[in-house]
Amino acid sequence: MANKKYSRDDLLFVLDNLIEYHPLRMDMYYSALKTLGLMIIDDSRYFSKPIDPEAELARLEEADLEHCGALLTMLLREDYWFDNAFDQRLKEGWPQKIVRRMIALAEKM
């Protein structure tokens, strides 16, 4: 991570609270990404175009912290284009899986 914008403790605090208290609120995922500086707008270094969300999510286990931010940003954008897509992703557990991956990575920092 070339441009670290958050401390390990801050990262764990925000992500733990997201999973513990707000795991089903899309606005809280957005807020957490913005707070941590992990809202990845230029995702071209992570994804090829056109983005295949299923293929990208399948790469979660190899994702670093910023890549996880890009994956969550992708899910938030997906909801913009397809109404209620984030709700479906929540039912599938994807946002929660991504955040748990981020917590595991942060714990190793």
Side-chain angles (χ1 to χ4, degrees):
M1 293 173 291
N3 189 9
K4 189 174 177 181
K5 300 175 185 170
Y6 39 82
S7 73
R8 174 188 184 272
D9 291 341
D10 291 341
L11 186 60
L12 288 171
F13 178 78
V14 171
L15 295 174
D16 283 338
N17 280 326
L18 178 60
I19 286 295
E20 180 90 17
Y21 300 110
H22 307 290
L24 302 178
R25 292 195 45 203
M26 184 172 97
D27 61 323
M28 295 307 291
Y29 285 89
Y30 179 84
S31 178
L33 287 177
K34 285 197 72 159
T35 297
L36 297 171
L38 287 170
M39 178 71 66
I40 308 297
I41 302 304
D42 180 12
D43 58 11
S44 60
R45 67 186 254 216
Y46 299 102
F47 311 134
S48 59
K49 304 291 184 200
I51 296 174
D52 177 355
E54 303 309 321
E56 299 304 337
L57 290 169
R59 297 177 40 214
L60 176 60
E61 290 306 314
E62 62 193 50
D64 65 12
L65 206 50
E66 289 182 2
H67 190 173
C68 288
L71 288 169
L72 274 177
T73 304
M74 174 190 73
L75 296 184
L76 293 168
R77 285 181 171 169
E78 183 181 45
D79 192 77
Y80 176 81
W81 295 107
F82 305 102
D83 284 338
N84 299 317
F86 197 81
D87 290 339
Q88 182 58 40
R89 295 295 186 183
L90 283 168
K91 288 177 187 172
E92 296 167 358
W94 281 109
Q96 304 93 320
K97 289 176 192 175
I98 295 168
V99 172
R100 285 189 193 99
R101 170 77 177 153
M102 294 170 86
I103 290 169
L105 290 167
E107 288 173 340
K108 295 178 184 177
M109 292 174 71

